[in-house]
Coordinates of all heavy atoms in Angstrom, one line a residue:
Chain B
G117 N -109.6 -37.8 -85.6 CA -110.2 -37.1 -84.4 C -111.0 -35.9 -84.8 O -112.1 -35.6 -84.2
A118 N -110.5 -35.2 -85.8 CA -111.3 -34.0 -86.2 C -112.6 -34.3 -86.8 O -113.7 -33.7 -86.5 CB -110.4 -33.2 -87.3
V119 N -112.7 -35.4 -87.5 CA -113.9 -35.9 -88.1 C -114.9 -36.3 -87.0 O -116.1 -36.0 -87.0 CB -113.7 -37.0 -89.1 CG1 -115.0 -37.6 -89.5 CG2 -112.9 -36.5 -90.3
I120 N -114.3 -37.0 -86.0 CA -115.2 -37.4 -84.9 C -115.8 -36.2 -84.1 O -116.9 -36.2 -83.7 CB -114.4 -38.3 -83.9 CG1 -113.9 -39.6 -84.6 CG2 -115.3 -38.7 -82.7 CD1 -113.1 -40.5 -83.8
V121 N -114.9 -35.2 -83.9 CA -115.3 -34.0 -83.2 C -116.5 -33.4 -84.0 O -117.4 -32.9 -83.5 CB -114.1 -33.1 -83.1 CG1 -114.6 -31.7 -82.8 CG2 -113.2 -33.5 -81.9
L122 N -116.3 -33.4 -85.4 CA -117.4 -32.7 -86.2 C -118.7 -33.4 -85.9 O -119.8 -32.8 -86.0 CB -117.0 -32.9 -87.7 CG -116.4 -31.7 -88.3 CD1 -116.4 -31.9 -89.8 CD2 -117.2 -30.5 -88.0
M123 N -118.7 -34.8 -85.6 CA -119.9 -35.4 -85.5 C -120.5 -35.3 -84.2 O -121.7 -35.7 -84.0 CB -119.7 -36.9 -85.8 CG -119.2 -37.2 -87.3 SD -119.3 -38.8 -87.8 CE -118.1 -39.6 -86.8
I124 N -119.7 -34.9 -83.2 CA -120.4 -34.7 -81.8 C -121.2 -33.5 -81.8 O -120.7 -32.5 -82.2 CB -119.2 -34.6 -80.8 CG1 -118.4 -35.9 -80.8 CG2 -119.8 -34.5 -79.4 CD1 -117.2 -35.8 -79.8
P125 N -122.4 -33.5 -81.3 CA -123.2 -32.3 -81.1 C -122.5 -31.3 -80.3 O -121.8 -31.6 -79.4 CB -124.5 -32.7 -80.5 CG -124.5 -34.2 -80.7 CD -123.1 -34.6 -80.7
K126 N -122.7 -30.0 -80.7 CA -121.8 -29.0 -80.1 C -122.1 -28.7 -78.6 O -121.4 -28.0 -77.9 CB -121.8 -27.7 -80.8 CG -123.2 -27.0 -80.9 CD -123.1 -25.8 -81.7 CE -124.5 -25.1 -81.9 NZ -124.7 -24.4 -83.1
C127 N -123.2 -29.3 -78.1 CA -123.5 -29.1 -76.7 C -122.6 -29.9 -75.8 O -122.5 -29.6 -74.6 CB -125.0 -29.2 -76.4 SG -125.6 -30.8 -77.0
F128 N -122.1 -31.0 -76.3 CA -121.3 -31.9 -75.5 C -119.8 -31.5 -75.4 O -119.0 -32.1 -76.0 CB -121.3 -33.4 -76.0 CG -122.7 -34.0 -75.9 CD1 -123.4 -34.4 -77.0 CD2 -123.3 -34.1 -74.7 CE1 -124.6 -35.0 -76.9 CE2 -124.6 -34.6 -74.5 CZ -125.2 -35.1 -75.6
E129 N -119.6 -30.3 -74.8 CA -118.3 -29.7 -74.9 C -117.2 -30.6 -74.2 O -116.1 -30.8 -74.7 CB -118.2 -28.3 -74.2 CG -119.0 -27.3 -75.0 CD -118.8 -25.9 -74.5 OE1 -118.1 -25.8 -73.5 OE2 -119.3 -25.0 -75.1
K130 N -117.6 -31.2 -73.1 CA -116.6 -32.1 -72.4 C -116.2 -33.2 -73.3 O -115.0 -33.6 -73.4 CB -117.4 -32.6 -71.2 CG -116.5 -33.0 -69.9 CD -115.8 -31.8 -69.4 CE -114.8 -32.2 -68.3 NZ -115.4 -32.5 -67.1
A131 N -117.2 -33.8 -74.0 CA -116.9 -34.9 -74.9 C -115.9 -34.5 -76.0 O -115.0 -35.2 -76.3 CB -118.1 -35.5 -75.4
I132 N -116.2 -33.4 -76.5 CA -115.3 -32.9 -77.6 C -113.9 -32.7 -77.1 O -112.9 -33.1 -77.7 CB -115.8 -31.5 -78.1 CG1 -117.1 -31.6 -78.8 CG2 -114.8 -30.9 -79.0 CD1 -117.7 -30.4 -79.3
K133 N -113.7 -32.2 -75.9 CA -112.4 -31.9 -75.4 C -111.7 -33.3 -75.0 O -110.5 -33.4 -75.3 CB -112.5 -31.1 -74.0 CG -112.9 -29.7 -74.3 CD -113.0 -28.9 -73.0 CE -113.7 -27.6 -73.2 NZ -113.9 -26.9 -72.0
I134 N -112.5 -34.2 -74.5 CA -111.8 -35.5 -74.2 C -111.4 -36.2 -75.5 O -110.3 -36.8 -75.5 CB -112.8 -36.4 -73.4 CG1 -113.3 -35.6 -72.2 CG2 -112.2 -37.7 -73.0 CD1 -112.9 -36.3 -70.9
V135 N -112.3 -36.2 -76.5 CA -111.8 -36.8 -77.7 C -110.6 -36.2 -78.3 O -109.7 -36.8 -78.7 CB -113.0 -36.7 -78.8 CG1 -112.5 -37.0 -80.2 CG2 -114.1 -37.6 -78.4
S136 N -110.5 -34.8 -78.2 CA -109.3 -34.2 -78.7 C -108.1 -34.6 -77.9 O -107.0 -34.8 -78.5 CB -109.5 -32.7 -78.6 OG -110.7 -32.2 -79.1
L137 N -108.3 -34.7 -76.6 CA -107.2 -35.1 -75.8 C -106.6 -36.4 -76.1 O -105.4 -36.7 -76.3 CB -107.6 -35.0 -74.3 CG -106.5 -35.1 -73.3 CD1 -105.7 -33.9 -73.4 CD2 -107.1 -35.2 -71.9
I138 N -107.6 -37.4 -76.3 CA -107.2 -38.7 -76.6 C -106.5 -38.7 -78.0 O -105.5 -39.3 -78.3 CB -108.4 -39.7 -76.6 CG1 -108.9 -39.7 -75.2 CG2 -107.9 -41.1 -77.1 CD1 -110.1 -40.6 -75.1
T139 N -107.1 -38.0 -78.9 CA -106.6 -38.0 -80.3 C -105.2 -37.3 -80.4 O -104.4 -37.7 -81.2 CB -107.5 -37.1 -81.2 OG1 -108.8 -37.5 -80.9 CG2 -107.2 -37.5 -82.6
T140 N -104.8 -36.4 -79.5 CA -103.5 -35.9 -79.5 C -102.6 -36.7 -78.7 O -101.4 -36.7 -78.8 CB -103.4 -34.5 -79.0 OG1 -104.2 -34.3 -77.8 CG2 -103.9 -33.5 -80.1
A141 N -103.1 -37.5 -77.8 CA -102.2 -38.3 -76.9 C -101.7 -39.5 -77.7 O -100.6 -40.0 -77.5 CB -103.0 -38.8 -75.7
I142 N -102.4 -39.9 -78.7 CA -102.0 -41.1 -79.5 C -100.8 -40.7 -80.3 O -99.8 -41.5 -80.2 CB -103.2 -41.6 -80.5 CG1 -104.3 -42.1 -79.6 CG2 -102.7 -42.7 -81.4 CD1 -105.6 -42.5 -80.4
P143 N -100.7 -39.6 -81.0 CA -99.4 -39.3 -81.7 C -98.3 -39.2 -80.7 O -97.1 -39.4 -81.0 CB -99.7 -38.0 -82.4 CG -101.2 -38.0 -82.6 CD -101.7 -38.7 -81.5
L144 N -98.7 -38.7 -79.5 CA -97.6 -38.5 -78.5 C -97.0 -39.8 -78.1 O -95.8 -40.0 -78.0 CB -98.2 -37.8 -77.2 CG -97.2 -37.5 -76.2 CD1 -96.1 -36.5 -76.7 CD2 -97.8 -36.8 -75.0
T145 N -97.8 -40.9 -77.9 CA -97.3 -42.2 -77.5 C -96.5 -42.7 -78.8 O -95.5 -43.4 -78.6 CB -98.4 -43.1 -77.2 OG1 -99.4 -43.1 -78.1 CG2 -98.9 -42.8 -75.8
M146 N -97.0 -42.5 -80.0 CA -96.3 -42.9 -81.1 C -94.9 -42.2 -81.2 O -93.9 -42.8 -81.7 CB -97.1 -42.7 -82.4 CG -98.3 -43.5 -82.5 SD -99.0 -43.3 -84.1 CE -100.6 -43.9 -83.8
A147 N -94.9 -40.9 -80.8 CA -93.6 -40.2 -80.8 C -92.6 -40.8 -79.8 O -91.5 -40.9 -80.1 CB -93.8 -38.8 -80.4
V148 N -93.1 -41.3 -78.7 CA -92.2 -41.9 -77.7 C -91.7 -43.2 -78.4 O -90.5 -43.5 -78.3 CB -93.0 -42.2 -76.4 CG1 -92.2 -43.1 -75.5 CG2 -93.4 -40.9 -75.7
Y149 N -92.6 -43.9 -79.1 CA -92.2 -45.1 -79.7 C -91.1 -44.8 -80.7 O -90.1 -45.5 -80.9 CB -93.4 -45.7 -80.4 CG -93.1 -47.0 -81.2 CD1 -93.1 -48.2 -80.6 CD2 -92.7 -46.9 -82.6 CE1 -92.7 -49.3 -81.3 CE2 -92.5 -48.1 -83.3 CZ -92.4 -49.3 -82.7 OH -92.1 -50.4 -83.4
L150 N -91.3 -43.7 -81.5 CA -90.3 -43.3 -82.5 C -88.9 -43.1 -81.8 O -87.9 -43.5 -82.3 CB -90.7 -42.0 -83.2 CG -91.4 -42.0 -84.5 CD1 -91.6 -40.6 -84.9 CD2 -90.7 -42.8 -85.5
F151 N -89.0 -42.3 -80.7 CA -87.8 -42.0 -80.0 C -87.1 -43.3 -79.6 O -85.8 -43.4 -79.7 CB -88.2 -41.2 -78.7 CG -87.0 -40.8 -77.9 CD1 -86.0 -39.9 -78.3 CD2 -86.8 -41.3 -76.6 CE1 -85.0 -39.6 -77.5 CE2 -85.8 -41.0 -75.8 CZ -84.8 -40.1 -76.3
Q152 N -87.9 -44.3 -79.1 CA -87.2 -45.5 -78.6 C -86.6 -46.3 -79.8 O -85.5 -46.9 -79.6 CB -88.2 -46.5 -78.0 CG -89.0 -45.9 -76.8 CD -88.2 -46.1 -75.5 OE1 -87.0 -46.1 -75.5 NE2 -89.0 -46.3 -74.4
H153 N -87.3 -46.4 -80.9 CA -86.9 -47.3 -81.9 C -86.2 -46.6 -83.1 O -86.0 -47.3 -84.0 CB -88.2 -48.0 -82.4 CG -88.7 -49.0 -81.4 ND1 -88.4 -50.3 -81.3 CD2 -89.6 -48.7 -80.4 CE1 -89.0 -50.8 -80.3 NE2 -89.7 -49.9 -79.7
F154 N -85.9 -45.4 -82.9 CA -85.2 -44.8 -84.0 C -83.7 -45.3 -84.0 O -83.1 -45.3 -82.9 CB -85.2 -43.2 -83.8 CG -84.6 -42.4 -84.9 CD1 -85.4 -42.2 -86.0 CD2 -83.4 -42.0 -84.8 CE1 -84.9 -41.4 -87.0 CE2 -82.9 -41.2 -85.9 CZ -83.7 -41.0 -87.0
D155 N -83.3 -45.8 -85.1 CA -81.9 -46.3 -85.2 C -80.9 -45.2 -85.3 O -80.9 -44.5 -86.3 CB -81.8 -47.2 -86.4 CG -80.5 -47.9 -86.4 OD1 -79.6 -47.6 -85.6 OD2 -80.3 -48.8 -87.3
R156 N -80.2 -44.9 -84.2 CA -79.3 -43.7 -84.2 C -78.1 -43.9 -85.1 O -77.3 -43.0 -85.3 CB -78.9 -43.4 -82.8 CG -80.0 -42.7 -82.0 CD -80.1 -43.3 -80.6 NE -80.9 -42.6 -79.8 CZ -82.2 -42.8 -79.8 NH1 -82.8 -43.6 -80.6 NH2 -83.1 -42.1 -78.9
D157 N -77.8 -45.1 -85.6 CA -76.6 -45.3 -86.4 C -76.9 -45.2 -87.9 O -75.9 -45.3 -88.6 CB -76.0 -46.6 -86.1 CG -75.3 -46.6 -84.6 OD1 -74.9 -45.5 -84.3 OD2 -75.5 -47.6 -84.0
Q158 N -78.2 -45.1 -88.2 CA -78.4 -45.1 -89.7 C -78.5 -43.7 -90.2 O -79.0 -42.8 -89.5 CB -79.8 -45.8 -89.9 CG -80.1 -46.2 -91.3 CD -81.4 -46.8 -91.4 OE1 -81.9 -47.4 -90.5 NE2 -82.0 -46.7 -92.5
V159 N -78.0 -43.5 -91.4 CA -78.0 -42.1 -92.0 C -79.3 -41.8 -92.7 O -79.8 -40.7 -92.7 CB -76.8 -42.0 -92.9 CG1 -76.9 -40.7 -93.7 CG2 -75.5 -42.1 -92.1
G160 N -79.8 -42.8 -93.4 CA -81.0 -42.5 -94.3 C -82.3 -42.4 -93.6 O -82.4 -42.3 -92.4
M161 N -83.3 -42.5 -94.4 CA -84.7 -42.4 -93.9 C -85.1 -43.6 -93.3 O -84.8 -44.8 -93.7 CB -85.6 -42.1 -95.1 CG -85.3 -40.8 -95.7 SD -85.8 -39.5 -94.6 CE -85.1 -38.1 -95.5
Q162 N -85.9 -43.5 -92.2 CA -86.4 -44.6 -91.5 C -87.9 -44.6 -91.4 O -88.5 -43.5 -91.7 CB -85.9 -44.7 -90.1 CG -84.4 -44.7 -90.0 CD -83.9 -44.7 -88.6 OE1 -84.4 -45.2 -87.7 NE2 -82.7 -44.0 -88.4
F163 N -88.6 -45.7 -91.1 CA -90.0 -45.7 -91.0 C -90.7 -45.3 -92.3 O -91.6 -44.6 -92.3 CB -90.6 -44.9 -89.9 CG -90.0 -45.3 -88.5 CD1 -89.0 -44.5 -87.9 CD2 -90.5 -46.4 -87.9 CE1 -88.5 -44.8 -86.7 CE2 -90.0 -46.8 -86.7 CZ -89.0 -46.0 -86.0
M164 N -90.1 -45.8 -93.4 CA -90.5 -45.2 -94.7 C -91.8 -45.9 -95.2 O -92.0 -47.1 -95.0 CB -89.5 -45.4 -95.8 CG -88.4 -44.4 -95.7 SD -87.6 -44.2 -97.2 CE -88.9 -43.6 -98.2
E165 N -92.6 -45.1 -96.0 CA -93.7 -45.6 -96.6 C -93.8 -45.1 -98.0 O -93.5 -43.9 -98.2 CB -95.1 -45.3 -96.0 CG -95.1 -45.6 -94.6 CD -96.4 -45.0 -93.9 OE1 -97.4 -44.9 -94.6 OE2 -96.3 -44.5 -92.8
R166 N -94.0 -45.8 -99.0 CA -94.0 -45.3 -100.4 C -95.2 -45.9 -101.2 O -95.3 -47.1 -101.3 CB -92.7 -45.6 -101.1 CG -92.5 -45.0 -102.4 CD -91.2 -45.6 -103.0 NE -90.1 -45.0 -102.4 CZ -89.4 -44.0 -102.9 NH1 -89.8 -43.4 -104.0 NH2 -88.3 -43.6 -102.3
H167 N -96.1 -45.1 -101.7 CA -97.1 -45.6 -102.5 C -97.3 -44.7 -103.8 O -97.0 -43.5 -103.6 CB -98.5 -45.6 -101.8 CG -98.4 -46.4 -100.5 ND1 -98.4 -47.7 -100.4 CD2 -98.4 -45.9 -99.2 CE1 -98.4 -48.1 -99.2 NE2 -98.4 -47.1 -98.4
Q168 N -97.7 -45.3 -104.8 CA -98.0 -44.5 -106.0 C -99.3 -43.7 -105.8 O -100.2 -44.2 -105.2 CB -98.2 -45.4 -107.2 CG -96.9 -45.9 -107.7 CD -96.0 -44.8 -108.2 OE1 -96.4 -43.9 -108.9 NE2 -94.7 -45.0 -107.9
W169 N -99.4 -42.5 -106.2 CA -100.5 -41.6 -105.9 C -101.2 -41.1 -107.2 O -102.2 -41.5 -107.5 CB -100.1 -40.5 -104.9 CG -101.3 -39.7 -104.4 CD1 -102.6 -40.1 -104.4 CD2 -101.2 -38.5 -103.7 NE1 -103.3 -39.2 -103.8 CE2 -102.5 -38.1 -103.4 CE3 -100.2 -37.6 -103.4 CZ2 -102.9 -37.0 -102.7 CZ3 -100.5 -36.4 -102.7 CH2 -101.8 -36.1 -102.4
I170 N -100.4 -40.3 -107.8 CA -100.9 -39.8 -109.1 C -99.8 -40.1 -110.2 O -98.9 -39.3 -110.4 CB -101.1 -38.2 -109.0 CG1 -102.0 -37.9 -107.9 CG2 -101.7 -37.7 -110.3 CD1 -102.2 -36.4 -107.7
P171 N -99.9 -41.3 -110.7 CA -98.8 -41.8 -111.6 C -98.5 -40.9 -112.8 O -97.3 -40.8 -113.2 CB -99.2 -43.2 -112.0 CG -100.3 -43.5 -111.0 CD -101.0 -42.3 -110.6
S172 N -99.6 -40.2 -113.3 CA -99.4 -39.5 -114.5 C -98.3 -38.3 -114.3 O -97.7 -37.9 -115.2 CB -100.6 -39.0 -115.1 OG -101.4 -38.4 -114.0
F173 N -98.3 -37.9 -113.1 CA -97.3 -36.8 -112.8 C -96.2 -37.3 -111.9 O -95.4 -36.5 -111.4 CB -98.0 -35.6 -112.1 CG -98.8 -34.8 -113.0 CD1 -100.2 -34.9 -113.0 CD2 -98.2 -33.9 -113.9 CE1 -101.0 -34.2 -113.8 CE2 -99.0 -33.2 -114.8 CZ -100.4 -33.3 -114.7
N174 N -96.1 -38.6 -111.7 CA -95.1 -39.2 -110.9 C -95.1 -38.7 -109.5 O -94.1 -38.4 -108.9 CB -93.7 -39.0 -111.5 CG -92.7 -40.0 -111.0 OD1 -93.1 -41.0 -110.3 ND2 -91.4 -39.7 -111.2
I175 N -96.3 -38.4 -108.9 CA -96.4 -37.9 -107.6 C -96.7 -39.2 -106.7 O -97.6 -39.9 -107.0 CB -97.6 -37.0 -107.4 CG1 -97.4 -35.8 -108.3 CG2 -97.8 -36.6 -106.0 CD1 -98.6 -34.8 -108.3
Q176 N -95.9 -39.3 -105.6 CA -96.0 -40.5 -104.8 C -96.3 -40.0 -103.4 O -96.2 -38.9 -103.1 CB -94.7 -41.2 -104.8 CG -94.2 -41.6 -106.1 CD -92.8 -42.3 -106.0 OE1 -92.5 -43.0 -105.1 NE2 -92.0 -41.9 -106.9
Y177 N -96.8 -41.0 -102.6 CA -97.1 -40.7 -101.3 C -95.9 -41.3 -100.5 O -95.9 -42.5 -100.3 CB -98.4 -41.4 -100.9 CG -98.7 -41.3 -99.4 CD1 -99.3 -40.2 -98.9 CD2 -98.4 -42.3 -98.5 CE1 -99.7 -40.1 -97.6 CE2 -98.7 -42.2 -97.1 CZ -99.3 -41.1 -96.7 OH -99.5 -41.0 -95.3
I178 N -94.9 -40.5 -100.1 CA -93.8 -41.0 -99.4 C -93.7 -40.3 -98.1 O -93.8 -39.1 -97.9 CB -92.5 -40.6 -100.2 CG1 -92.6 -40.8 -101.7 CG2 -91.3 -41.3 -99.7 CD1 -91.4 -40.4 -102.4
M179 N -93.6 -41.1 -97.0 CA -93.4 -40.6 -95.7 C -92.1 -41.3 -95.2 O -91.8 -42.4 -95.4 CB -94.6 -41.1 -94.8 CG -95.9 -40.4 -95.1 SD -96.0 -38.7 -94.5 CE -97.7 -38.7 -93.9
G180 N -91.4 -40.5 -94.4 CA -90.2 -41.1 -93.8 C -89.6 -40.1 -92.8 O -90.0 -38.9 -92.9
T181 N -88.7 -40.5 -92.0 CA -88.1 -39.6 -91.1 C -86.7 -39.9 -90.9 O -86.3 -41.1 -91.0 CB -88.8 -39.6 -89.7 OG1 -88.1 -38.7 -88.9 CG2 -88.8 -41.0 -89.1
D182 N -85.9 -38.9 -90.8 CA -84.4 -39.1 -90.4 C -84.1 -38.3 -89.3 O -85.0 -37.7 -88.6 CB -83.5 -38.9 -91.7 CG -83.4 -37.4 -92.0 OD1 -84.3 -36.7 -91.5 OD2 -82.7 -37.1 -92.9
G183 N -82.8 -38.1 -89.0 CA -82.5 -37.4 -87.8 C -83.0 -36.0 -87.8 O -83.4 -35.5 -86.7
I184 N -83.1 -35.4 -88.9 CA -83.5 -34.0 -89.0 C -85.0 -33.8 -88.6 O -85.3 -32.9 -87.8 CB -83.2 -33.4 -90.3 CG1 -81.7 -33.5 -90.6 CG2 -83.7 -32.0 -90.4 CD1 -81.4 -33.0 -92.0
S185 N -85.8 -34.7 -89.0 CA -87.2 -34.5 -88.8 C -87.8 -35.2 -87.6 O -88.9 -34.9 -87.1 CB -88.1 -34.9 -90.0 OG -87.7 -36.1 -90.4
V186 N -87.1 -36.2 -87.0 CA -87.6 -36.9 -85.9 C -87.9 -36.1 -84.7 O -88.9 -36.2 -83.9 CB -86.8 -38.2 -85.6 CG1 -85.5 -37.8 -85.0 CG2 -87.5 -39.2 -84.8
T187 N -86.9 -35.2 -84.4 CA -87.1 -34.3 -83.2 C -88.3 -33.4 -83.4 O -89.0 -33.1 -82.5 CB -85.9 -33.5 -83.0 OG1 -85.5 -32.8 -84.2 CG2 -84.7 -34.2 -82.4
M188 N -88.5 -32.9 -84.7 CA -89.6 -32.0 -84.9 C -90.9 -32.8 -84.8 O -91.9 -32.3 -84.2 CB -89.5 -31.5 -86.3 CG -88.4 -30.5 -86.4 SD -88.8 -29.0 -85.5 CE -87.6 -29.2 -84.1
L189 N -91.0 -34.1 -85.2 CA -92.2 -34.8 -85.0 C -92.5 -35.0 -83.5 O -93.7 -34.8 -83.1 CB -92.0 -36.2 -85.6 CG -92.1 -36.2 -87.2 CD1 -91.7 -37.6 -87.7 CD2 -93.5 -35.9 -87.7
M190 N -91.5 -35.2 -82.8 CA -91.7 -35.4 -81.3 C -92.2 -34.1 -80.7 O -93.1 -34.1 -79.9 CB -90.4 -35.9 -80.6 CG -90.1 -37.3 -80.9 SD -88.4 -37.8 -80.6 CE -87.8 -36.7 -79.5
L191 N -91.5 -33.0 -81.2 CA -91.9 -31.7 -80.5 C -93.4 -31.4 -80.9 O -94.1 -30.9 -80.0 CB -91.0 -30.6 -81.1 CG -91.2 -29.3 -80.6 CD1 -90.8 -29.2 -79.1 CD2 -90.4 -28.2 -81.3
T192 N -93.7 -31.6 -82.2 CA -95.1 -31.3 -82.6 C -96.1 -32.1 -81.7 O -97.1 -31.6 -81.3 CB -95.3 -31.6 -84.0 OG1 -94.2 -31.1 -84.8 CG2 -96.6 -31.1 -84.6
A193 N -95.8 -33.4 -81.6 CA -96.8 -34.3 -80.8 C -96.9 -33.7 -79.4 O -98.0 -33.6 -78.9 CB -96.3 -35.7 -80.8

Side-chain angles (χ1 to χ4, degrees):
Chain B
V119 169
I120 298 177
V121 160
L122 261 190
M123 298 194 293
I124 300 177
K126 64 181 173 208
C127 48
F128 294 121
E129 288 188 359
K130 209 59 189 284
I132 294 177
K133 291 179 191 173
I134 304 241
V135 167
S136 314
L137 193 65
I138 298 177
T139 319
T140 46
I142 296 176
L144 184 60
T145 49
M146 292 187 197
V148 173
Y149 178 86
L150 265 185
F151 178 70
Q152 302 272 33
H153 293 267
F154 189 81
D155 186 354
R156 283 133 173 86
D157 290 322
Q158 195 182 329
V159 172
M161 295 290 169
Q162 302 176 36
F163 301 103
M164 278 205 65
E165 303 169 39
R166 185 189 287 264
H167 306 285
Q168 288 295 319
W169 190 15
I170 307 178
S172 48
F173 286 106
N174 201 13
I175 299 175
Q176 303 174 42
Y177 175 84
I178 316 178
M179 295 278 220
T181 177
D182 68 351
I184 298 174
S185 49
V186 69
T187 50
M188 288 293 106
L189 286 169
M190 288 164 21
L191 184 68
T192 311

